[in-house]
Amino acid sequence: MTKVKTAKFTVIKQHICQKIESGEWQQHAKVPSENELADQFSVSRMTARRALQELTEQGLLIRSQGSGTFVATFKSQSSLLEIRNIADEIQERGHRHHAKQLTLKAVAVNEEIAILLNLKTNSINSVSVFYSEVLHFENDQPIQLEQRFVNSDLVKNYLQQDFTQITPHEYLSSEAPLTEATHEIEAVLAQPHICQLLHIEESMPCLQVKRRTWSSKGVVSLATLTSPGNKYRLGSHLKF
């Protein structure tokens, strides 16, 4: 019986997965480049690229243009969740939405944010991104804290917006239309200051969604959305 030969790009994928599963490559560790993998496995660069791309699509790796490929946060995964504007969700239920803008400024990036936004990490000290914090309300009750880093090269007028009048999602959708997104979803105990903003006890579990979005020009934003666990669930349903 003829033995089926494993495709070369699959061999590379298995090698990378083994390194991650064994703990040799921890989250955020840099993965060998396409050229390095091509030399190591005696394959074309295209074959190595296919292996890295498929693992990126599966959420195991993060590719940063100009910086390389890195092991993703272990809880990260792609999701088919529909991305909707929270103001629209609330209004469709016949409820009132309003928002309080807590922070809107330029901030220096650390290495993790630079990787996630596909910024060149060799010039971190001279690069800043935009950062916003917006607290969303439904019928005067705080329902979600939105913390968002935005690529300042792709959305240059972000700091000039009033996010009590338009949500960041709505503005970004008009300026850099969404083409791709990934999600990381988990139950967390929020930090004390976030609990105060959401009017919940520190023992109250929260649902936290970390969302990275792309436009045709690159990664646009990295958002962390934190909601009280007793008021929010996946499926875009809020209850009081």
Side-chain angles (χ1 to χ4, degrees):
M1 183 175 179
T2 303
K3 185 176 181 180
V4 178
K5 187 175 181 180
T6 304
K8 290 184 177 180
F9 75 90
T10 300
V11 173
I12 298 175
K13 288 173 63 179
Q14 292 172 343
H15 168 76
I16 293 173
C17 289
Q18 189 277 326
K19 292 288 188 181
I20 295 174
E21 292 170 359
S22 70
E24 184 173 344
W25 291 355
Q26 295 290 319
Q27 56 186 357
H28 307 312
K30 192 169 185 178
V31 174
S33 67
E34 293 174 4
N35 287 335
E36 291 171 332
L37 290 171
D39 290 340
Q40 181 178 349
F41 291 91
S42 301
V43 298
S44 68
R45 183 176 176 181
M46 183 177 298
T47 298
R49 181 184 298 125
R50 178 177 176 180
L52 293 176
Q53 184 60 38
E54 290 194 2
L55 290 177
T56 299
E57 292 172 353
Q58 294 170 21
L60 294 177
L61 302 178
I62 294 175
R63 306 201 74 182
S64 177
Q65 186 175 3
S67 299
T69 303
F70 302 81
V71 178
T73 301
F74 293 146
K75 293 180 181 177
S76 294
Q77 60 180 350
S78 296
S79 172
L80 297 179
L81 291 176
E82 181 182 8
I83 297 178
R84 302 194 61 203
N85 183 22
I86 188 171
D88 293 339
E89 293 180 10
I90 292 173
Q91 290 165 5
E92 286 173 7
R93 289 189 289 277
H95 294 174
R96 289 178 294 102
H97 167 269
H98 77 273
K100 182 178 181 180
Q101 182 174 291
L102 304 177
T103 302
L104 184 60
K105 61 183 179 180
V107 296
V109 299
N110 58 33
E111 185 174 11
E112 181 178 5
I113 299 301
I115 291 171
L116 292 172
L117 289 178
N118 276 359
L119 302 176
K120 292 183 179 180
T121 57
N122 58 1
S123 59
I124 285 179
N125 292 332
S126 61
V127 175
S128 65
V129 302
F130 299 144
Y131 177 73
S132 61
E133 286 191 3
V134 178
L135 186 61
H136 297 280
F137 293 79
E138 178 165 359
N139 289 348
D140 297 323
Q141 294 193 44
I143 194 65
Q144 185 181 90
L145 176 64
E146 172 187 336
Q147 300 166 291
R148 188 183 294 268
F149 292 95
V150 175
N151 189 329
S152 55
D153 289 334
L154 301 184
V155 191
K156 297 184 182 298
N157 294 322
Y158 191 76
L159 296 186
Q160 280 68 58
Q161 307 312 306
D162 180 356
F163 292 123
T164 66
Q165 302 301 313
I166 185 173
T167 66
H169 169 78
E170 188 177 1
Y171 174 70
L172 292 174
S173 294
S174 66
E175 293 296 308
L178 178 69
T179 61
E180 182 181 350
T182 59
H183 295 84
E184 174 186 330
I185 306 166
E186 61 182 327
V188 301
L189 292 177
Q191 298 177 355
H193 76 281
I194 295 179
C195 292
Q196 291 179 7
L197 291 171
L198 294 174
H199 295 177
I200 60 174
E201 299 292 333
E202 293 182 17
S203 59
M204 169 66 69
C206 291
L207 178 69
Q208 189 173 85
V209 178
K210 292 185 178 180
R211 176 182 297 155
R212 195 161 66 125
T213 56
W214 284 256
S215 73
S216 59
K217 295 182 180 180
V219 180
V220 175
S221 75
L222 175 67
T224 300
L225 313 174
T226 305
S227 302
N230 66 336
K231 297 180 182 178
Y232 190 94
R233 71 184 183 196
L234 293 179
S236 301
H237 176 73
L238 305 178
K239 61 180 183 179
F240 295 90

